[in-house]
Amino acid sequence: MNTVTDVLAAARQRISEEAEPNRFLDVLERGRVPGERLRQLAGELYHLVGSDRRSFALLATRFPSAPAGELYGAMAQGEVEALGLLLDFAAVLGLREGELRAYQPQAAAQAYPRHLARSAQHGSCSDVALALLANVAESGGTYTRVADALVSRYGFEERALGHFRFFAETPQSLLDQAAATLDHGLAGGDDPGAALHCALSVHSLETAFWNCLARDLDPG
C-alpha cells in the first residue's frame, strides 16, 4: 500500500466503514436548531478556520517545494477567504468579529483543528494531503446540506452563506495538487500508515465537531 491509488482507496474504505451519523445536520434539517446555537456555530467556525489557516501556512513553510508548497499555500489562502465569508454569516446573526474573537470555543469542538495543528507541526507532507482527498466528498456534502437547510428552514439569503458554499466545492486544481503532493511524499518515503491515520482522525474529529453542536438539542 504505497501508491496514491492504494492509500486513497484504503482511506475511503475505512471512512465508509466507520462513518457515524451527523446529529447536527439531522436537527438542522428539521428546523430545530435555535438561533443561539447558530451563533455558537459561527463562533466555533471562526476559531477553527483561524487555526486551520495557521496550520496550512506552517505546512507551506515546512514543505516549500512544489507540489506541497503550492498546495498548502493555496489552502492557507483559502482559509483567509473563508474567514471573510464567515463574517457575512455572523453579521446576519448579529455578531461582529470582535464578538467572534472573544467567543470561548468548546474543547470537544476544537479537537479537529488541534489535531490538524499537530499534524502540521510533526507530520509528513503526505498526511494532510491524504486527509483532504479522502474526506472531500463527505465534507463538501455536509457544507452543502448546512447551506441548503439554512435557506429552506431558516430563511437565510445566499449572500450570507458564502462560507458554507466555499467549502461545499473544492476546486479540481486543488485536488490535483493534493494528489501530486501525496504521490511525491510516498515516493520520498513518507509512511502511508501515518497518512491513513491522519485521514481517519480528520474524518472522526470533523464528525465530532458537528455532533458537539447538536448536544442537548431535541431532534424532534
Side-chain angles (χ1 to χ4, degrees):
M1 190 183 71
N2 56 2
T3 69
V4 171
T5 300
D6 292 341
V7 174
L8 184 54
R12 287 173 173 167
Q13 179 64 31
R14 288 281 299 280
I15 286 170
S16 175
E17 293 171 352
E18 299 175 13
E20 298 178 15
N22 186 320
R23 296 192 299 275
F24 181 79
L25 269 179
D26 292 341
V27 180
L28 187 75
E29 290 176 335
R30 289 179 171 85
R32 300 185 66 86
V33 175
E36 182 55 38
R37 192 60 59 93
L38 293 178
R39 288 187 284 275
Q40 182 180 342
L41 170 62
E44 296 290 348
L45 286 172
Y46 183 83
H47 287 272
L48 183 154
V49 171
S51 178
D52 284 0
R53 178 189 61 79
R54 294 187 292 272
S55 293
F56 296 140
L58 176 58
L59 281 164
T61 299
R62 287 186 62 212
F63 305 106
S65 299
E70 296 173 351
L71 168 68
Y72 294 124
M75 292 178 74
Q77 185 56 44
E79 298 296 320
V80 173
E81 183 177 349
L83 198 61
L85 294 170
L86 180 63
L87 298 182
D88 296 332
F89 175 65
V92 173
L93 297 168
L95 294 171
R96 293 170 293 188
E97 186 170 10
E99 294 171 287
L100 295 174
R101 191 179 299 114
Y103 172 81
Q104 295 296 310
Q106 299 182 64
Q110 297 299 311
Y112 157 71
R114 285 200 304 273
H115 171 75
L116 191 65
R118 185 179 183 280
S119 297
Q121 192 168 23
H122 301 291
S124 74
C125 74
S126 297
D127 295 355
V128 174
L130 177 61
L132 169 63
L133 291 167
N135 290 288
V136 65
E138 182 174 342
S139 181
T142 295
Y143 277 94
T144 295
R145 289 175 62 187
V146 169
D148 290 347
L150 289 171
V151 171
S152 63
R153 304 293 290 182
Y154 302 85
F156 279 76
E157 297 182 4
E158 281 293 333
R159 62 180 177 82
L161 302 177
H163 175 85
F164 302 98
R165 300 299 186 194
F166 179 83
F167 285 118
E169 293 191 22
T170 300
Q172 185 60 47
S173 59
L174 196 71
L175 298 178
D176 291 342
Q177 286 180 319
T181 296
L182 179 57
D183 182 57
H184 180 80
L186 293 174
D190 286 352
D191 181 2
L196 177 60
H197 176 73
C198 179
L200 297 176
S201 296
V202 165
H203 173 262
S204 177
L205 293 173
E206 281 189 336
T207 301
F209 170 84
W210 294 106
N211 285 342
C212 183
L213 289 161
R215 187 175 298 158
D216 301 325
L217 293 182
D218 180 6

